[in-house]
């Protein structure tokens, strides 16, 4: 009995020793992990479709796969980091005062790390399949190209200008809808339904706007895997392909995200009736969360 009592006391003590209490580290770990989950399932879907040559899925499989992957990512980190999983989302939250600027580098690095590690995981998992598909010749373009499993590239008929607009529009719609889904004075997602709602939104963007350039709409999602392919055997062509396409999914989503959120605020959110003029008034305006009330400068709505 005495030995059992000692063991029972030791278990909580070990847990307390391993528990990380620093909020910044907790946020970084959660954001890295939820991004990794999103990317490993998403890239895995693409790898299966490409290497399977149509036998193990098609384009719709990728849309569904990435949508479900985003939903799982939100479940993994939503209540800790907000599960942004996208540097354009984090940047937009900073612009509109929902995330402190000093947190942006932490979020961007965590998202980049999660994406990079996911690319490495899928490369290892599908190494034999990739080599069987392309005969060991890792190429960026052509009928046996495999670099597109990891990063996005434009269709042959797409100009850089059209591609830039494509990324601005796609990310703009993403942030516009995310702002609507989290607007407590409009038609927000029900509590607990955030993961499904955000996942469906990403799937919708893929189904409707994915054929031009693979709907990256996420700078860290694209850059991390692209850098991995650079060192994994595809070489510098990953940065030269598509008229040096690489910078478009890196820059355009930041512009699109801010524009999309701004449009929603200008046309909808700013025109909500004042709470003081309504018959019932909550104690705190649920729409306007003061920055000092956000724990470590973030809100607990996954966007």
């Amino acid at each position: 009995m005495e030995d059992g009592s000692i063991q029972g006391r030791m278990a909580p003590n070990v847990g307390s020793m391993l528990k990380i209490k620093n909020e910044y580290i907790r946020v970084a770990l959660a954001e890295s992990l939820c991004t990794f989950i999103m990317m490993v399932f998403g890239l895995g879907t693409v790898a299966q479709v490409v290497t399977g040559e149509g036998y193990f899925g098609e384009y719709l499989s990728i849309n569904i796969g990435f949508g479900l992957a985003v939903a799982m990512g939100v479940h993994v980190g939503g209540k800790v980091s907000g599960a942004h999983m996208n540097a354009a989302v984090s940047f937009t939250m900073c612009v509109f005062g929902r995330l402190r600027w000093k947190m942006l580098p932490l979020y961007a690095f965590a998202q980049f790390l999660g994406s990079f590690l996911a690319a490495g995981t899928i490369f290892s998992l599908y190494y034999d399949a990739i080599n069987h598909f392309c005969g060991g010749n890792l190429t960026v373009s052509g009928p046996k190209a495999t670099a597109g499993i990891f990063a996005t590239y434009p269709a042959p008929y797409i100009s850089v200008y059209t591609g830039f607009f494509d990324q601005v529009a796609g990310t703009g719609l993403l942030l516009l809808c995310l702002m609507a889904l989290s607007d407590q004075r409009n038609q927000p997602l029900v509590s607990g339904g955030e993961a499904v709602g955000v996942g469906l939104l990403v799937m919708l963007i893929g189904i409707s706007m994915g054929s031009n350039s693979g709907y990256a709409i996420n700078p860290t999602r694209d850059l991390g895997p692209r850098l991995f392919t650079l060192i994994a055997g595809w070489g510098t062509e990953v940065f030269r392909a598509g008229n040096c396409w690489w910078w478009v999914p890196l820059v355009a989503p930041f512009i699109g995200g801010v524009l999309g959120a701004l449009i929603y605020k200008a046309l909808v959110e700013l025109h909500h009736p004042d709470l003081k003029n309504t018959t019932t008034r909550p104690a705190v305006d649920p729409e306007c969360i003061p920055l000092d009330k956000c724990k470590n400068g973030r809100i607990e709505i996954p966007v």
Side-chain angles (χ1 to χ4, degrees), residues 279-293:
T279 54
T280 59
R281 182 174 63 183
V284 179
D285 185 347
E287 180 195 26
C288 303
I289 306 174
L291 195 58
D292 60 349
K293 297 297 183 184

Side-chain angles (χ1 to χ4, degrees), residues 51-114:
T51 61
E53 301 185 74
Y55 289 101
F56 303 112
E58 51 192 19
Y59 180 70
L60 183 60
S61 304
I62 298 173
N63 303 143
I64 296 173
F66 257 109
L68 292 174
V70 168
M72 291 303 103
V74 172
H75 276 298
V76 168
K79 287 295 184 180
V80 182
S81 68
H84 295 180
M85 302 179 287
N86 185 335
V89 172
S90 301
F91 178 77
T92 303
M93 295 301 102
C94 288
V95 170
F96 290 95
R98 297 191 176 190
L99 182 73
R100 294 188 189 275
W101 283 102
K102 68 179 181 180
M103 297 292 287
L104 182 59
L106 179 68
Y107 272 79
F109 176 76
Q111 293 154 4
F112 172 84
L113 180 63

Side-chain angles (χ1 to χ4, degrees), residues 154 158-168 242-243 245 247-248 252:
I158 294 297
S159 69
V160 171
Y161 303 105
T162 302
F164 192 91
F165 175 68
D166 172 83
Q167 289 298 292
V168 169
N243 293 320
W245 167 260
W247 68 272
V248 176

